[in-house]
Amino acid sequence: MNKRVPQEIEHTSVLGVIPTVTLNDVKASGDAQCLVLGAGIVGVSTALALQAHGLQVLLLDRQSPGKETSFGNAGLIQREAVVPYAFPRNWAKVMEVAFGNGNDVHYHLGAMPAFAGPLLRYRWYSEPARHAAISRSYASLIEQSITEHVRWIEASGASELVKKEGWVQAFRSSKAFEAAALDSKARAAEYGLNVDVLGRDGMNARLGALRTDLLQGAVHWLDAWTVSDPGVLVERYAKLFLANGGHLAFGDANSLRRTSQGWAVKTDHGIAEAPSAVVALGPWATGVLSPLGYKLPIFVKRGYHRHYDGGTSLKIPTLDAEHGVMMAPMSRGLRLLTGAEFAAAGAPPTPVQLVAAERAANELIDVGNPVDPQPWLGSRPCTVDMKPIIGAAPKHDGLWFNLGHGHQGFTLGPASGRLLAEQILGLPPYIDPAPFSPARFA
Ligand SMILES: Cc1cc2nc3c(=O)[nH]c(=O)nc-3n(C[C@H](O)[C@H](O)[C@H](O)COP(=O)(O)OP(=O)(O)OC[C@H]3O[C@@H](n4cnc5c(N)ncnc54)[C@H](O)[C@@H]3O)c2cc1C
């Protein structure tokens, strides 16, 4: 679409002036070949991958790119995360969660009946033999995560946001450390990962910023990369998409309708239409897909973060494992992040985990004062079988899904975007797409 976009249909946003299209623009040029709904890391990466093959893509969101869950995560590109988080099999852990004794998980009691079905299925898929098979599939995608990010990091000139020093899990008890040391070595051997298991001397050398006298040991995953502002990385990818001739429109994806030509959606400046549409809306996909007859088994694990002005000597993102707090040095300050919270959709924030996280982190390093007036709240889009849903909608031609990336969507966005783009274009997929097919839930 090479036409100049008239001034009156341009938006100003954090990205500067963003060209959008009207129905007339699309029809006149006849070149909007795909609508991508959702401009988080998954949608933006999908748009880039389609564009790289010459497709004209319209990316739609209700706000600027990278402002939702992709904004507030820990910024880890988790090359090592070949084993997705399973439902705990250990009853002591289940009891700890049930009685609210740990900080990994928090729940609103009144919301739990709605979670019972998905959590039972999640538990079923977490049975060891099933979980091992799921991990092998998951690994096939996550193994591509760095390579696929590199492509867009380099093309968008975002290298200064990225560090290649891995991330650390630190343990306060010998029992937890010894179990993690064994587990990490086994995982590293099975999947060809690089890991350092650090005792006291290793920790002092590498984690000198922390009160290592309170720690018994640490596991340093060396293959992961980290990003100092994940929302800005998504913006850079979106800018690259626009610079290469892509189009971004504001609008409500719930307006998606089937037409004789394919799919149409209302934008702020008219209706945009294309032969195919990708739903990359994270947990909000259900708003679009339920009316079309899809009941995907997605549930949300909420999570919080807040920035602090202390802890500047910490250079490597570190998880205080037993206290469920991730300490991530970021461009806005030290970002403290929490584990999972189960709550009804739209329920007000209850950042009790963040209060406990701040207390625990302060034991290890002086975190200083909060920078943000309020904690940030995000929604991890999780599936019952822990794998994202990538592929053709089972009941509709020209409709595609790329969603449900759970705890590792920031890691997986570009790898998933490529896998879906290849399927849309009918190209040989670079990895087997079958484990991620939406049809597995049909
Ligand atoms: C506390 C926390 C820490 C995390 N840490 C990590 C990490 O270190 N590494 C990692 O890999 N992952 C991490 N994650 C997970 C990761 O952030 C998510 O999996 C990922 O951001 C999901 O990306 P997405 O593009 O699917 O969704 P989103 O980024 O949420 O994007 C969805 C988009 O859809 C848009 N949208 C929704 N509804 C509509 C509508 N009706 N109309 C138009 N647009 C709409 C939204 O505005 C949004 O832009 C973390 C998550 C949390 C909560």
Side-chain angles (χ1 to χ4, degrees), residues 42 61-63 69-70 73-74 76 252-253 406-411:
V42 174
D61 203 296
R62 60 188 173 193
Q63 57 188 328
T69 325
S70 300
N73 56 62
L76 307 181
D252 183 355
H407 288 261
Q408 272 102 30
F410 185 65
T411 300

Side-chain angles (χ1 to χ4, degrees), residues 377-398:
L377 171 62
S379 301
R380 299 177 183 91
C382 298
T383 61
V384 292
D385 70 354
M386 294 157 271
K387 292 180 294 180
I389 303 174
I390 308 167
K395 302 182 205 168
H396 294 88
D397 286 343

Side-chain angles (χ1 to χ4, degrees), residues 10 13 86 129 157 189 198 202 216 220 225 236 276 338 436:
E10 291 180 341
S13 84
L198 307 174
Q216 298 303 319
H220 187 173
W225 288 8
R236 295 282 181 90
S276 54
T338 66
F436 311 103

